[in-house]
């Protein structure tokens, strides 16, 4: 009884070993691909969420800019009104001073006392 191994036996054993190695490798690659796909899908969801947040932030920033511009325009209008009011007030004050000086001169010439103004 001699135990001899034939070429066919070797090919069969090697073939089975190669088939098992290929199957094992395919399972590892499939598992890795599934893990990568899962991670990619999670990242894709995060990117979509970030895009939505950026779009919302851009809209809010645009609204803030518009609001800021409206405020500046309103403030400019108020400042312009204050400037005009102060100019008118200054002109009135000058006119009053001139009228008061004239009234004092008239008071001196006519002898009619001028009340304290």
């Amino acid at each position: 009884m001699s135990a001899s191994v034939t070429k066919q036996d070797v090919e069969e054993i090697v073939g089975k070993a190669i088939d098992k190695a290929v199957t094992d490798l395919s399972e590892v690659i499939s598992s890795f691909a599934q893990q990568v796909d899962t991670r990619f899908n999670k990242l894709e969801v995060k990117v979509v969420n970030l895009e939505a947040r950026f779009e919302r932030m851009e809209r809010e920033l645009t609204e803030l800019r518009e609001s800021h511009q409206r405020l500046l325009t309103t403030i400019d209008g108020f400042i312009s009104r204050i400037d005009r009011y102060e100019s008118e007030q200054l002109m009135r004050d000058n006119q009053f001073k001139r009228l008061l000086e004239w009234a004092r001169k008239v008071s001196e010439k006519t002898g009619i006392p001028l009340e304290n103004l």
Side-chain angles (χ1 to χ4, degrees):
M1 298 203 318
S2 94
S4 63
V5 178
T6 65
K7 181 178 177 183
Q8 185 178 4
D9 292 337
V10 171
E11 286 176 355
E12 188 176 307
I13 292 171
V14 170
K16 286 182 183 179
I18 290 174
D19 285 346
K20 182 166 178 8
V22 168
T23 300
D24 290 347
L25 184 59
S26 293
E27 288 173 1
V28 168
I29 290 172
S30 177
S31 174
F32 177 73
Q34 184 61 41
Q35 289 173 0
V36 168
D37 187 52
T38 300
R39 288 179 66 191
F40 178 78
N41 288 338
K42 287 179 183 178
L43 286 173
E44 187 176 30
V45 167
K46 287 181 180 182
V47 166
V48 167
N49 290 339
L50 283 173
E51 286 175 345
R53 285 180 65 192
F54 281 131
E55 287 174 6
R56 189 186 80 242
M57 289 172 67
E58 285 177 346
R59 280 192 309 273
E60 289 175 0
L61 183 59
T62 299
E63 290 170 4
L64 283 172
R65 284 182 179 147
E66 290 170 355
S67 174
H68 180 256
Q69 188 60 45
R70 284 191 305 273
L71 284 172
L72 287 176
T73 301
T74 301
I75 289 171
D76 286 345
F78 286 146
I79 289 173
S80 176
R81 287 174 63 187
I82 290 170
D83 285 344
R84 280 194 311 271
Y85 175 77
E86 288 176 346
S87 295
E88 290 172 2
Q89 196 69 26
L90 182 61
M91 287 186 294
R92 247 183 256 123
D93 288 348
N94 288 334
Q95 186 179 24
F96 181 77
K97 286 179 187 176
R98 287 192 306 270
L99 285 172
L100 187 58
E101 288 173 10
W102 177 80
R104 286 188 178 134
K105 289 178 185 177
V106 169
S107 172
E108 280 180 30
K109 290 186 178 184
T110 62
I112 301 173
L114 187 64
E115 295 186 22
N116 286 338
L117 291 177

